[in-house]
Amino acid sequence: DTEVTQTPKHLVMGMTNKKSLKCEQHMGHRAMYWYKQKAKKPPELMFVYSYEKLSINESVPSRFSPECPNSSLLNLHLHALQPEDSALYLCASSLGTGGSFYGYTFGSGTRLTVV
Amino acid sequence: KNQVEQSPQSLIILEGKNCTLQCNYTVSPFSNLRWYKQDTGRGPVSLTIMTFSENTKSNGRYTATLDADTKQSSLHITASQLSDSASYICVVSASGGGADGLTFGKGTHLIIQP
């Protein structure tokens, strides 16, 4: 298995809803990442998990809450989002913690729309 | 400040034609450079990765070049197909930078017309 699987592919939620994005990989990668990508913009790093521990939080608002239950799973819990949070949310993984060296495998993303 | 500049921003060519996309970077210390293809609404897919010592690398109809002296890279697409329509993103890694050592270009949006 050489893929990063993200679910759901599309999500529409209201500003008072609570939802979660899920990311899964079975490549034995020990680093996992969440990125946010707006249309026609490059991905922006949100969180990095290294060996199931949060190692980087790029000053992301608390309405986004990451969780790494085990080395294969990464969740992003969403609560009280704003319409400007609508974007493509990408999960990625890499073999080692030096992601820039090992290279990333990206998931297909979750297209999130906040109404 | 590390930067990656891509040109052109967008490009329209006819099916079967060749094209070349450019990437200029000011990332230091340089580790590697990757080209990704991203279809609309999908995640980026890696095409090539090049380190300091590599000048050219091919992946099917895609050929990437790297000039570490001038800090430039190009991605050449041969005999374009409709399925090549996508954004092509240049990503440069700094040595020891970890995940936040990646610098993304804004991408070139390529449209192949029949």
Side-chain angles (χ1 to χ4, degrees):
Chain A
D1 188 351
T2 59
E3 291 187 346
V4 173
T5 302
Q6 288 188 245
T7 55
K9 293 192 184 304
H10 301 276
L11 178 62
V12 179
M13 62 184 290
M15 290 188 284
T16 58
N17 291 159
K18 286 185 180 181
K19 297 286 185 182
S20 296
L21 310 185
K22 182 178 176 181
C23 174
E24 193 168 359
Q25 57 87 15
H26 297 285
M27 295 178 282
H29 287 181
R30 303 315 300 266
M32 296 184 77
Y33 314 84
W34 281 115
Y35 281 85
K36 174 183 177 180
Q37 186 177 25
K38 302 286 273 185
K40 299 187 179 181
K41 299 285 188 181
E44 297 175 359
L45 183 64
M46 298 175 72
F47 302 104
V48 180
Y49 272 83
S50 174
Y51 290 88
E52 301 160 46
K53 294 196 183 322
L54 183 64
S55 61
I56 295 177
N57 176 341
E58 291 287 350
S59 302
V60 179
S62 60
R63 57 185 184 270
F64 295 91
S65 175
E67 177 197 20
C68 189
N70 58 57
S71 60
S72 299
L73 285 175
L74 184 65
N75 299 320
L76 185 63
H77 302 299
L78 314 172
H79 174 55
L81 294 192
Q82 303 296 312
E84 59 264 29
D85 296 322
S86 298
L88 180 68
Y89 287 84
L90 294 167
C91 175
S93 70
S94 62
L95 181 62
T97 54
S100 61
F101 176 78
Y102 291 105
Y104 287 16
T105 300
F106 282 92
S108 293
T110 293
R111 171 68 63 189
L112 174 67
T113 303
V114 181
V115 297
Chain B
K1 180 183 177 181
N2 291 337
Q3 286 188 317
V4 174
E5 300 288 339
Q6 291 189 243
S7 62
Q9 285 188 339
S10 60
L11 180 63
I12 302 174
I13 63 171
L14 293 175
E15 185 179 10
K17 298 296 186 183
N18 303 336
C19 66
T20 300
L21 314 181
Q22 299 290 342
C23 173
N24 297 340
Y25 62 91
T26 54
V27 174
S28 181
F30 175 83
S31 175
N32 58 71
L33 182 148
R34 294 183 176 85
W35 284 95
Y36 285 90
K37 177 186 179 187
Q38 185 174 22
D39 293 315
T40 301
R42 306 296 300 272
V45 175
S46 180
L47 295 175
T48 64
I49 174 174
M50 303 185 74
T51 57
F52 185 86
S53 59
E54 296 174 303
N55 299 120
T56 303
K57 184 169 282 188
S58 292
N59 178 1
R61 294 181 296 102
Y62 301 103
T63 299
T65 65
L66 175 66
D67 186 333
D69 291 331
T70 61
K71 296 188 167 81
Q72 295 179 328
S73 175
S74 66
L75 181 69
H76 186 73
I77 304 175
T78 304
S80 61
Q81 301 176 358
L82 297 178
S83 59
D84 293 331
S85 295
S87 288
Y88 291 82
I89 305 172
C90 177
V91 183
V92 183
S93 302
S95 296
D100 54 351
L102 292 182
T103 304
F104 286 77
K106 293 184 177 181
T108 292
H109 186 51
L110 177 64
I111 298 173
I112 310 298
Q113 288 187 336

